[in-house]
Amino acid sequence: MSKPVRIALAALAAALSGCHERGAAFSMPAGYSLARDASEGALGRKQALTLGEDASHAMTALRYQLPARGALIAIAEAPGARAPITVAIFPEGAREPVASGGAGARVETGVLQPGTWYVVVSQPASEAPRTRVELRTVYRPEDPDGAQQACRTRESARELEAGKQVEDGVDYSARRRTCWWKVPLTAEGTLTIRFDDRGHNLSAEFVAPGGAAERIDPAQGLTRADLPAGDYFVKVYANEAGDAGRYRLNTAFAIADTCKNGGPACSLDGAEELKLPADSRTAEVDYSKSRQFHFYKATLKEKGRLTISFKVLRARRRSNVAAYFMRSQDDGGDRIAGSVTREIDGPGDVYIRVQAKDAGDAGRYAIGTIFQPANFIPADVVEIGRNPCVLTVSAGARQGVRAGVGCTVVNAAGQALDSCVVDQTFPNLSKVKPAGVRCNVAPGCKVQITAQ
């Protein structure tokens, strides 16, 4: 070994020995260049280092880039080390550290400026045994949310619809420590939130309007009953520097009364009356706004056929809004898909139930009904007047037709197309007017006139 190298190692040994024995500042040995000799370090990750592979390897340095103002924390573990280990943190171009300590200690700086910083792990060169060291260097930014563009504050919270789930991530040292979520409730009910921490040392809190934050237990979740309508919040954050990872929020909401705002027709007892032989209505149902159901009742005085059409005009994405035909109050009902016709065996009441199935389901719809009595006078359509829509049919006074009675326009298969009323009668012909604004009549259609 050359004389200059021996002198440099001796100086390093003296500096390290002084640091441990007297608590003095760590000094860089002559001839060692951090800029030249340091390796790239990875913030937040454990890195395995080896000291003492030979007498010239008593020191190892790692280089770190700080993106913004903050502190560095270095922790070195060296189980079974036979020589004292020193950890020191240096600014670029300096030969004296800003902080130093031994293995197992938490070496922490004050607030540092952005730029290049070095962490040096060393042992006395005079002893130089082969030593394995695990080093973890963590960056604690002065503003841990400085790089967060969205959801860093309550005012910028992302929306999480009750009954849905989201997955996202936070990272303290990447300056994305916090994310706020807003859970709007449009009705009174019970809210359940589950927090699945898939990262390292994350926390979640539930915040009610005007209330204190409540921790959400990852194992138990959090349930709050009888919450009034309003905006509620969930705050997810990484606890300490170096903490980061993915998480999932799962929400469930049960409305206390799904008909609180639905009016009388939201229950069967208050069902809206349909006018026969034909009627049409538009309305909406919305589970989250406590308007889950809308019931209709048709009072039938004789046998016949009831045709029901149902169409969703506008619905929330993926909403389940459906209609059901019910023959009695205890009947679960048959689903109405498009247009259906049901045979009516005798006088009585039948019902139609429109519903939004679950939380989040909502939609506006149109429903139409046409009743065809079993006892009717059949007539063929012999002439179609389009403007206005007037039909001349092959039955008149001699067949028992009278002006003012109701009738039904049907296709060749007998399916109801529209309701109508007799306007004028002649011995063997009648003029009838369909109720619809469109003249939905084609050659081959027939008219069924209610017999008196």
Side-chain angles (χ1 to χ4, degrees):
M1 181 181 298
S2 66
K3 184 175 180 181
V5 171
R6 287 197 300 271
I7 293 173
L9 292 176
L12 171 61
L16 293 174
S17 176
C19 180
H20 284 285
E21 291 178 6
R22 302 186 304 273
F26 180 94
S27 292
M28 190 72 60
Y32 193 93
S33 170
L34 290 176
R36 181 191 66 232
D37 299 325
S39 302
E40 289 296 330
L43 287 169
R45 297 170 61 181
K46 281 188 177 182
Q47 294 179 269
L49 310 176
T50 302
L51 303 177
E53 290 186 318
D54 56 53
S56 64
H57 288 80
M59 174 186 290
T60 296
L62 296 177
R63 179 190 303 109
Y64 300 96
Q65 297 295 328
L66 268 63
R69 284 169 55 88
L72 278 179
I73 303 166
I75 302 173
E77 300 290 343
R82 290 176 291 161
I85 304 297
T86 298
V87 180
I89 300 175
F90 285 82
E92 189 171 28
R95 302 193 66 80
E96 295 294 331
V98 295
S100 63
R106 181 185 177 96
V107 179
E108 183 171 349
T109 70
V111 175
L112 307 177
Q113 294 298 321
T116 304
W117 294 82
Y118 299 88
V119 176
V120 177
V121 181
S122 58
Q123 64 183 3
S126 58
E127 301 178 29
R130 184 179 175 88
T131 307
R132 297 278 296 177
V133 180
E134 280 193 345
L135 174 69
R136 184 169 184 250
T137 303
V138 176
Y139 167 54
R140 176 189 284 141
E142 186 176 46
D143 179 3
D145 281 309
Q148 180 69 286
Q149 298 300 315
C151 73
R152 63 177 290 174
T153 64
R154 182 166 167 165
E155 290 69 29
S156 62
R158 294 175 180 169
E159 187 160 314
L160 171 56
E161 185 179 335
K164 305 295 183 180
Q165 73 172 29
V166 292
E167 185 172 335
D168 202 26
V170 289
D171 190 325
Y172 194 115
S173 295
R175 297 188 298 149
R176 297 191 303 273
R177 181 194 186 193
T178 309
C179 190
W180 285 81
W181 296 90
K182 181 172 73 173
V183 185
L185 302 184
T186 57
E188 180 183 342
T190 299
L191 177 65
T192 298
I193 303 172
R194 297 200 176 277
F195 171 57
D196 181 9
D197 177 4
R198 301 183 171 193
H200 175 71
N201 200 23
L202 309 185
S203 292
E205 295 175 344
F206 172 71
V207 184
E214 299 179 70
R215 180 176 176 271
I216 302 173
D217 189 327
Q220 303 292 331
L222 180 142
T223 299
R224 291 294 175 265
D226 302 322
L227 292 178
D231 291 336
Y232 296 83
F233 295 88
V234 177
K235 178 186 178 183
V236 183
Y237 57 94
N239 288 285
E240 297 290 344
D243 296 342
R246 305 288 295 177
Y247 65 88
R248 178 180 292 170
L249 290 174
N250 219 314
T251 63
F253 180 64
I255 293 181
D257 180 1
T258 61
C259 275
K260 185 174 183 179
N261 302 318
C266 199
S267 65
L268 194 64
D269 291 340
E272 187 176 344
E273 290 276 359
L274 293 170
K275 297 178 181 179
L276 298 180
D279 202 350
S280 61
R281 308 288 172 95
T282 58
E284 64 179 348
V285 288
D286 191 325
Y287 190 107
S288 298
K289 293 183 179 180
S290 299
R291 298 197 298 265
Q292 185 183 10
F293 300 101
H294 198 117
F295 287 89
Y296 298 92
K297 181 173 74 172
T299 300
L300 306 169
K301 298 180 180 180
E302 56 186 309
K303 291 182 179 182
R305 303 172 75 193
L306 182 65
T307 299
I308 307 166
S309 61
F310 174 75
K311 182 179 182 181
V312 177
L313 302 176
R314 183 180 66 253
R316 195 171 295 160
R317 188 167 179 248
R318 296 181 180 175
S319 282
N320 187 346
V321 175
Y324 299 83
F325 172 71
M326 303 166 59
R327 293 185 180 274
S328 68
Q329 295 187 3
D330 299 327
D331 182 12
D334 300 325
R335 186 162 183 170
I336 302 168
S339 179
V340 298
T341 299
R342 292 291 182 265
E343 297 291 338
I344 304 302
D345 298 330
D349 294 334
V350 295
Y351 301 88
I352 299 169
R353 181 182 79 252
V354 183
Q355 71 178 69
K357 185 178 180 182
D358 293 312
D361 292 340
R364 186 166 183 80
Y365 64 88
I367 193 164
T369 54
I370 299 174
F371 180 66
Q372 303 164 250
N375 186 20
F376 62 85
I377 300 167
D380 295 327
V381 176
V382 297
E383 186 177 72
I384 303 172
R386 298 286 182 181
N387 191 20
C389 187
V390 177
L391 309 180
T392 302
V393 300
S394 62
R398 291 176 181 173
Q399 287 77 36
V401 178
R402 294 190 298 112
V405 301
C407 55
T408 306
V409 181
V410 300
N411 61 18
Q415 296 173 321
L417 301 176
D418 200 354
S419 64
C420 56
V421 65
V422 178
D423 183 52
Q424 301 177 59
T425 59
F426 306 96
N428 294 307
L429 295 173
S430 298
K431 298 282 188 179
V432 304
K433 291 184 176 181
V437 294
R438 297 177 60 188
C439 201
N440 188 24
V441 183
C445 285
K446 300 180 183 296
V447 172
Q448 298 175 353
I449 304 170
T450 303
Q452 299 294 310

